[in-house]
Amino acid sequence: MEIPDKEENVKLDFIRSIVVEDIASNKWDGRVVTRFPPEPNGYLHIGHAKSICLNFGIAAQFNGRCHLRFDDTNPEKEEQEYVNSIIEDVRWLGWNWGEHLYYGSDYFDKMYEYAIQLIKKGKAYVCDLNAEQTRQYRGTLTQPGKDSPYRNRSIEENLDLFERMKAGQFPDGSRTLRAKIDMSHPNLNMRDPVMYRILHSSHHRSGDKWCIYPMYDWAHGFEDSIEKITHSICTLEFENHRPLYDWFLDQVEAYHPQQIEFARLNLTFTVMSKRKLLQLVQEKLVSGWDDPRMPTISGLRRRGYSPSAIREFCKIIGVNKFNSTIDFALLEHCLREDLNKTSARVMAVLKPLKIVIDNYPEGQVEELDAVNNPEDPNAGTRKVPFTKELYIEQEDFMENPPKKFFRLSPGKEVRLRYAYFITCNEIVKDDAGNVVELHCTYDPATKGGDAPDGRKVKSTLHWVSAEKAIKAEVRLYDHLFTKENPDDVEEGQSFTDNLNPNSLEILPECFVEPSLLEAKPLDRCQFERLGYFCVDPDSAKGKLIFNRTVGLKDTWAKVQKQEQTA
RNA sequence: UGGGGAAUAGUGUAAUGGUAGCACAACUGACUCUGGAUCAGUUAGUUGGGGUUCGAGUCCCUAUUCCCCAGCCA
């Protein structure tokens, strides 16, 4: 497993500043305890990574600890599959919670005791209003609510009714336990919020033990409290809930962590809500939660992202209290920066064009030395076989090249990387006029790629031996959505209308150099001049499949684009 | 029109009353056996209006804009 970098040098964002102050004032006896509390109702995505890196990062930086806690208070949406994936993803990102793996559902008994306590204080009551009535009684943003007719039941009656709710004597939705706060409070969350609802639903952990389940507001503070969390970090939309968080904890005089809210991550060209990601999966608009186009951790992993690239990204985007949308290019920048340092280089040809070296001996095979990673001398070298018939990239040849095209064209000399200078002499076309084969000559004196006479070429091409190369499938990806903001839709449309029809391009007939024969799923490498690639888990013995993680920066593509628009 | 938050280059993010800095993006150029990488450089910013102050992105007032809240979801 990759180990996260030292967290010591992380700049002090507003949350870390609070932590530093609290340590200085000894507010929590010097303790720093954070938690990452996902609900297991979906797969984790890059937005969660921001929260994970924040919480685990703070713990690492300040000698504290961070708990992984499943906030599993709604059995209707939660599944073990999600628990498993979340554990895998957080671990893959490189974080370690030690023995501190918890489940909110493990605290249900304690929460129930607290509820009894609140009823006994006259601060909670069983309400017989149904969901619709409850909404009507709540009032609106500008109008106060009305007290429930059941608001003033006696403590004894409430105790009895709540006991019978727990015992399963009432059907779903027939009653709730509510906090007695203030139906005219300007913050709607304080208008007698529901603490428990009746749900005869089997829980992924507690099974059928309970048929009443705590609501988030009631449960979350106690989960934090029981675990002696110091800084309970959550996203902005919970700001309105903080008064309730505080109220509940204070009513029962429980240990009281500090809730701090920060802005969730938004990224261009993608959606980040679990609901929408679920929809993409359920409607089969992607191949699954781990589709390489998904912003999920599992999707990014399969795409070839490295944990350290994601961590670096989370580190540099900062933490704040206002909504912002990060340019996807920044994520890709972090990716390339990491992959450039760590990826072994290999040669692969995606759209092959056969070339024949006319003056190269028939049947001869030369094993040429190639550098594995120019950024890392320790990565060593490997042998690449050179033969009379080769493949180069179709895009690397043009019959009638424009001025700025440096690659192969009739009469032009280029270098084949680590091999020889070659010159194109003859073009073979099919009946339709497509170039299907090139005849070239090589200069034996340029073996290894340097001309003894000091002559220069403008371009170096990648290539593979037609006889020795391995066939492979390559999957190219583009943004899943065509718009920077996929939610930018016409009236009546949905974000799925902005799906990019060209987000996946499958190239079934590619060739990679033979050193890749033993490549295993999730192995990463750079295809020289093309980009970073990763072996897809769909690969089987004898059938290699590569995902393009991200392309290399391509100034030629930029030049082409400029000329098109000019 | 209730309450809670927030506004710094195109995008992010620093500056905690004292020269508005950094990154990404874009654009130049150098170098290169990856048109990669690397290096050098350019463009570009404090939401508006008042006030306090020797001095304001920062403090005060005011206006504007944006986000969140009316689940028995989290």
Side-chain angles (χ1 to χ4, degrees):
Chain A
M1 184 192 290
E2 299 174 56
I3 306 297
D5 311 330
K6 287 277 180 217
E7 294 291 325
E8 288 141 18
N9 298 322
V10 177
K11 270 215 179 127
L12 293 188
D13 51 66
F14 82 98
I15 297 179
R16 277 176 240 257
S17 301
I18 291 171
V19 173
V20 167
E21 282 167 29
D22 289 350
I23 291 171
S25 69
N26 217 31
K27 178 174 174 183
W28 307 101
D29 306 321
R31 297 159 47 245
V32 175
V33 186
T34 56
R35 100 267 98 113
F36 173 62
E39 181 189 13
N41 68 343
Y43 280 59
L44 259 25
H45 54 63
I46 182 79
H48 292 111
K50 177 181 181 182
S51 174
I52 291 166
C53 292
L54 219 208
N55 280 292
F56 280 93
I58 285 174
Q61 183 176 187
F62 299 106
N63 265 315
R65 63 170 197 253
C66 181
H67 301 177
L68 174 59
R69 179 174 72 224
F70 290 97
D71 197 3
D72 53 354
T73 57
N74 184 352
E76 296 187 329
K77 290 186 177 175
E78 296 151 8
E79 294 173 25
Q80 189 61 38
E81 177 197 350
Y82 297 132
V83 170
N84 298 342
S85 74
I86 289 166
I87 287 175
E88 181 185 5
D89 289 349
V90 179
R91 196 170 276 154
W92 178 76
L93 278 173
W95 302 105
N96 183 5
W97 50 89
E99 56 200 326
H100 302 286
L101 174 65
Y102 301 113
Y103 293 83
S105 54
D106 286 347
Y107 310 140
F108 283 173
D109 284 295
K110 186 70 185 166
M111 290 174 198
Y112 182 78
E113 282 174 34
Y114 277 130
I116 299 288
Q117 214 176 306
L118 214 61
I119 293 171
K120 286 182 175 164
K121 277 185 79 172
K123 295 294 180 80
Y125 62 97
V126 172
C127 180
D128 299 2
L129 258 26
N130 64 29
E132 172 63 23
Q133 293 166 323
T134 304
R135 175 153 34 94
Q136 280 164 0
Y137 274 78
R138 185 154 35 229
T140 69
L141 294 176
T142 51
Q143 289 170 327
K146 289 183 300 187
D147 285 359
S148 161
Y150 307 98
R151 197 172 201 259
N152 293 312
R153 291 218 247 234
S154 69
I155 288 172
E156 292 65 35
E157 190 182 3
N158 281 321
L159 251 15
D160 174 60
L161 252 17
F162 187 47
E163 173 67 39
R164 289 163 59 194
M165 276 171 63
K166 183 192 177 211
Q169 295 184 14
F170 308 118
D172 286 6
S174 60
R175 281 172 227 259
T176 56
L177 183 72
R178 294 228 258 161
K180 192 192 280 191
I181 305 180
D182 179 1
M183 287 306 292
S184 60
H185 198 108
N187 180 342
L188 305 232
N189 295 127
M190 301 296 273
R191 320 243 261 228
D192 288 12
V194 172
M195 296 161 57
Y196 279 91
R197 75 282 214 187
I198 301 173
L199 243 36
H200 288 84
S201 178
S202 198
H203 187 276
H204 71 104
R205 295 203 93 225
S206 62
D208 295 322
K209 177 178 177 188
W210 296 88
C211 64
I212 55 170
Y213 289 92
M215 298 287 292
Y216 169 87
D217 287 307
W218 173 248
H220 203 86
F222 292 120
E223 294 169 12
D224 288 342
S225 178
I226 290 165
E227 294 176 18
K228 293 283 189 287
I229 300 297
T230 55
H231 304 270
S232 175
I233 300 166
C234 61
T235 45
L236 245 34
E237 66 270 26
F238 292 104
E239 220 156 11
N240 294 326
H241 295 247
R242 183 164 13 106
L244 229 200
Y245 181 99
D246 293 337
W247 191 89
F248 280 140
L249 257 13
D250 289 343
Q251 286 305 315
V252 300
E253 295 173 37
Y255 171 90
H256 191 154
Q258 179 182 2
Q259 175 177 309
I260 304 168
E261 309 85 11
F262 73 99
R264 59 167 72 229
L265 171 68
N266 296 295
L267 260 185
T268 54
F269 297 107
T270 193
V271 293
M272 211 74 91
S273 95
K274 276 197 207 170
R275 202 207 92 228
K276 288 176 187 149
L277 295 176
L278 213 211
Q279 187 182 341
L280 293 173
V281 172
Q282 287 181 334
E283 295 180 5
K284 303 216 182 307
L285 299 168
V286 295
S287 67
W289 286 101
D290 69 343
D291 186 300
R293 294 166 296 180
M294 291 280 271
T296 50
I297 303 300
S298 51
L300 295 171
R301 175 168 58 232
R302 184 168 173 184
R303 176 79 170 256
Y305 276 70
S306 62
S308 55
I310 295 173
R311 268 187 257 117
E312 177 62 18
F313 172 72
C314 291
K315 194 183 288 184
I316 68 173
I317 56 175
V319 183
N320 56 43
K321 284 192 70 111
F322 53 92
N323 300 303
S324 60
T325 302
I326 309 253
D327 192 339
F328 201 91
L330 185 57
L331 212 209
E332 294 188 326
H333 162 77
C334 295
L335 218 211
R336 289 195 184 98
E337 195 166 63
D338 185 52
L339 263 25
N340 177 46
K341 282 183 240 152
T342 57
S343 297
R345 271 63 169 173
V346 292
M347 290 197 282
V349 174
L350 270 34
K351 294 176 182 168
L353 172 61
K354 183 183 261 190
I355 67 172
V356 180
I357 312 296
D358 290 328
N359 59 339
Y360 193 81
E362 191 89 41
Q364 178 170 311
V365 179
E366 284 181 281
E367 294 288 339
L368 303 169
D369 287 312
V371 173
N372 285 334
N373 186 349
E375 306 292 324
D376 176 12
N378 295 325
T381 61
R382 69 186 184 287
K383 299 288 188 186
V384 185
F386 187 88
T387 54
K388 185 180 179 73
E389 296 198 345
L390 308 166
Y391 291 118
I392 63 167
E393 210 67 58
Q394 286 170 21
E395 285 187 349
D396 285 340
F397 174 80
M398 278 186 105
E399 189 175 5
N400 302 298
K403 228 200 208 136
K404 290 176 184 163
F405 186 83
F406 304 149
R407 283 112 94 145
L408 196 61
S409 54
K412 278 276 164 51
E413 186 173 51
V414 299
R415 172 169 38 232
L416 293 182
R417 179 139 233 226
Y418 301 124
Y420 296 98
F421 285 13
I422 60 164
T423 306
C424 173
N425 303 309
E426 192 190 333
I427 303 171
V428 180
K429 296 184 182 179
D430 63 13
D431 295 340
N434 302 310
V435 177
V436 294
E437 189 177 301
L438 261 26
H439 284 268
C440 304
T441 49
Y442 83 118
D443 177 356
T446 56
K447 181 168 180 178
D450 284 307
D453 63 3
R455 134 178 142 257
K456 300 281 184 201
V457 287
K458 285 279 278 234
S459 177
T460 300
L461 308 186
H462 60 275
W463 54 275
V464 294
S465 158
E467 292 142 61
K468 301 288 183 180
I470 308 166
K471 200 184 263 187
E473 176 179 314
V474 173
R475 299 173 180 173
L476 304 180
Y477 301 100
D478 195 357
H479 294 307
L480 229 201
F481 296 93
T482 53
K483 286 191 179 171
E484 278 201 17
N485 175 12
D487 289 318
D488 174 18
V489 291
E490 300 285 314
E491 192 65 28
Q493 288 199 312
S494 102
F495 74 104
T496 55
D497 291 305
N498 286 327
L499 243 11
N500 178 5
N502 304 315
S503 59
L504 168 63
E505 182 186 357
I506 297 177
L507 304 174
E509 304 255 312
C510 306
F511 293 96
V512 302
E513 64 169 67
S515 68
L516 252 14
L517 190 62
E518 299 297 321
K520 298 182 301 295
L522 300 187
D523 278 355
R524 289 187 279 263
C525 60
Q526 182 196 99
F527 289 173
E528 292 222 29
R529 303 208 305 137
L530 297 174
Y532 297 97
F533 291 76
C534 175
V535 179
D536 191 90
D538 280 351
S539 297
K541 189 133 185 90
K543 195 198 178 187
L544 273 174
I545 300 172
F546 290 89
N547 293 319
R548 183 174 65 192
T549 309
V550 66
L552 254 20
K553 282 193 193 160
D554 189 345
T555 51
W556 168 239
K558 206 178 270 182
V559 169
Q560 281 179 307
K561 212 182 218 174
Q562 280 174 355
E563 302 204 332
Q564 272 172 21
T565 52

